[in-house]
């Protein structure tokens, strides 16, 4: 089974689809737009490997968010078993799963950097025990894009807007959502997204 996964990743890594302009000069996950709607679209993402860390939050904590980012940044800066620097990719994807933990009052937050395409089959392992390589399966997501500087509250507003625009809760999983940021902190022309995983 592992051999089949590696073969699949090698084939995906060798593919070179047209990259969206908002990825700039960075590797981005490969996807196909299945359908475009008025204010959102349905995409199909290919299977890919990401470096990941997670935390449990009672409420959104920007300090924890920053700590998680730098754990992943240190991985690509050389805190890996190969001691190598790894190019930054886009987007930074966060997955929020609310309603867990004590009295269902906590949220699991996972932060992800995609492994570059040419390293997808065999990424070096992290040396930080709280950082790990994860496989994101092929996935269909409803995506709402927006510009400007985003923050957690803006993302929550956009997720609500996306749900209202879809207007059918049977079409997506409502127990978690994704945010995707494509730009560094000093970029002016920014591209942000929120995702909902589509049901089949």
């Amino acid at each position: 089974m592992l051999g089949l996964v590696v073969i699949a990743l090698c084939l995906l890594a060798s593919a070179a689809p047209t990259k969206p302009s908002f990825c700039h000069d960075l590797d981005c996950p490969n996807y196909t737009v299945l359908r475009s709607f008025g204010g959102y679209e349905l995409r199909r993402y290919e299977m890919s490997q990401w470096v990941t860390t997670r935390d449990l939050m009672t409420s959104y904590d920007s300090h924890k968010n920053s700590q998680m980012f730098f754990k992943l940044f240190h991985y690509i800066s050389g805190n890996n078993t190969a001691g190598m620097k790894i190019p930054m990719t886009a987007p930074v994807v966060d997955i929020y799963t609310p309603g867990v933990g004590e009295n269902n009052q906590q949220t699991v937050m996972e932060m992800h950097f995609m492994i570059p395409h040419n390293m997808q089959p065999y990424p070096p392992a992290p040396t930080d025990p709280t950082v790990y390589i994860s496989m994101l399966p092929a996935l269909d997501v409803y995506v709402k894009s927006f510009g400007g500087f985003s923050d957690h509250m803006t993302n929550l507003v956009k997720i609500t807007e996306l749900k209202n625009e879809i207007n059918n809760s049977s079409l997506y999983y409502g127990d978690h959502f994704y945010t995707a940021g494509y730009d560094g902190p000093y970029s002016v022309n920014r591209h942000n997204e929120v995702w909902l995983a589509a049901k089949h």
Side-chain angles (χ1 to χ4, degrees), residues 134-148:
S134 63
M135 176 76 69
L136 292 189
L139 182 70
D140 291 356
V141 289
Y142 293 100
V143 179
K144 184 173 183 64
S145 303
F146 57 100

Side-chain angles (χ1 to χ4, degrees), residues 12-89:
L12 292 175
S14 64
T18 302
K19 185 163 54 177
S21 61
F22 50 76
C23 291
H24 310 296
D25 58 348
L26 304 178
D27 276 6
C28 281
N30 296 331
Y31 70 85
T32 302
V33 177
L34 300 179
R35 188 174 176 186
S36 294
F37 302 87
Y40 63 101
E41 62 187 14
L42 178 62
R43 296 178 186 168
R44 173 163 293 164
Y45 278 90
E46 298 176 358
M47 175 178 61
S48 53
Q49 294 210 83
W50 300 63
V51 61
T52 306
T53 190
R54 64 162 58 192
D55 209 334
L56 193 64
M57 301 182 183
T58 302
S59 59
Y60 180 77
D61 186 332
S62 60
H63 178 65
K64 278 190 175 183
N65 182 282
S66 183
Q67 286 181 324
M68 294 171 72
F69 179 90
F70 279 105
K71 284 182 179 184
L72 302 183
F73 184 78
H74 290 153
Y75 167 80
I76 68 171
S77 298
N79 283 9
N80 54 70
T81 52
M84 66 185 300
K85 291 188 176 181
I86 298 171
M88 185 66 183
T89 59

Side-chain angles (χ1 to χ4, degrees), residues 111-148:
M111 184 178 289
H112 305 257
F113 288 5
M114 191 190 79
I115 301 296
H117 291 302
N118 64 352
M119 299 178 66
Q120 278 282 318
Y122 299 104
T127 53
D128 182 341
T130 65
V131 176
Y132 53 96
I133 302 298
S134 63
M135 176 76 69
L136 292 189
L139 182 70
D140 291 356
V141 289
Y142 293 100
V143 179
K144 184 173 183 64
S145 303
F146 57 100

Side-chain angles (χ1 to χ4, degrees), residues 146-192:
F146 57 100
F149 284 88
S150 184
D151 56 23
H152 186 63
M153 290 306 300
T154 302
N155 288 330
L156 293 179
V157 168
K158 296 300 180 181
I159 279 289
T160 299
E161 290 179 3
L162 178 57
K163 289 178 178 180
N164 290 340
E165 289 169 2
I166 297 171
N167 197 30
N168 186 342
S169 61
S170 69
L171 296 178
Y172 59 84
Y173 292 96
D175 60 345
H176 66 286
F177 65 90
Y178 304 72
T179 68
Y182 289 80
D183 301 282
Y186 304 111
S187 298
V188 176
N189 297 318
R190 308 182 69 81
H191 182 88
N192 315 289

